[in-house]
Amino acid sequence: MTDGERHDRIVAALVADAAPVRRLRPGRLFAFWLLVLAAVLAAFLPRRRPDLAPALARPAFLADVLLLAGAGIAAAWLALRAALPDRPVHAAVDAVVLATGAVGIALFATGAPAPAATLTSFVAKGAVCAVLSLVMAALPWALLVAVERRGAPTRPLRAGLFAGAAALFAAAAGMRLGCAADDPVHLLVWHAGPVVLGVAGSAALGRAWLARWWLSGRGPAPAGGASPAP
Amino acid sequence: MERAQLMARVQAGDREAYRALLDDLRPLVTAFAARHTRDAAAADDLYQEVLLALHRARHTYDPARPFEPWLFGIARHVAADHARRQARRGRWEVVVDEVPDVAGASEGGGMRALEQALAALPPAQREAVELLRLEGLSLEQAAARTGATPGALKVRVHRAYRMLRRLLGGST
């Protein structure tokens, strides 16, 4: 068989499988993700700290929340764009987004130290915060990864990293609104710890799950078919 | 018609547009595969994988954007993965003595898909599968018939089965 005949056979197989597809649209997906994030934060707001109003009047606290929320939202946009193979990657933009989140984390160190507590009390209280952070981040993270798996990411580690950063920076912002503790050690261990570990874990999962999408057997969503996201 | 316009029609399910687009891309993808591989067999593998990746990713293309960056973004990613696998294979590839049965070959419903998949293989790989499985020759007999060494035949069969698994796994 000649190269031309082989090409014709391959084309015949692909054309036979060419049903209409639902395009992956990052703008709509981003809007949907923001709605989901708002719903998740609203579900946790009843747990807000009792001194929230005076805390928000403190510039460092307000900056902390805004930086973390802003970094999370920007990271979500980058994660969604990472699902498309032709979107340019700007290292400077990546660095600014991650640095914004890092500064938000660093501002944890400016909180008022708490009186010394027992190790048991420190761990018991802190573990609740760590678990809540991860629970709050779970659905926003899963949505971003689902979009990336449906897409065609050409930098899978980066895609996973920004999915994790988006969910966990946003969750960290939510936790600042919900957790009354301002002690730097508590914040750095139990609020920053899940962020750092979670972003690293998400990057590793991205590298494992998102690399070889064309061999997974998953196809694009059919046009007109049911889909959980626009 | 511009490739972006063709691709928009492909997304709407226009099969003739898809055929025209794939035919138009053939020299581009062939040249790309040749530049990114060391031999003709590997170039054949890469060529097929790029077309398969393009097929699986067609819903990610935005017709308002240029087509070529989308195509080559996919192609470069597939080529990089291909190169990594080639390097790993060179270190640990196990060539089996017993050629396994092809899954679904005895099932009537899978025969047509199998025939199409076999026809899509590079000539050397298809010949190896046909001689060893369909004609039932031994490795030595098949090697004498083709002029290749038994080791080379084992490699061709191994690659053929891998591609068959991908093609049949995507259509079933």
Side-chain angles (χ1 to χ4, degrees), chain A residues 7 17 150 211-212 214, chain B residues 11 47 55-56 59 77 85:
Chain A
H7 168 81
D17 193 44
R150 193 186 151 227
R212 307 178 74 203
W214 67 99
Chain B
Q11 292 176 328
Y47 178 84
H55 179 71
R56 290 260 160 85
H59 62 301
H77 180 63
R85 281 183 281 130

Side-chain angles (χ1 to χ4, degrees), chain A residues 71-127:
Chain A
I73 290 169
W77 178 241
L78 293 177
L80 291 169
R81 283 170 57 90
L84 304 172
D86 59 344
R87 299 307 157 96
V89 172
H90 301 291
V93 173
D94 288 1
V96 166
V97 171
L98 293 174
T100 301
V103 170
I105 298 286
L107 284 174
F108 290 176
T110 64
T118 64
L119 180 63
T120 305
S121 168
F122 177 75
V123 170
K125 186 178 176 185

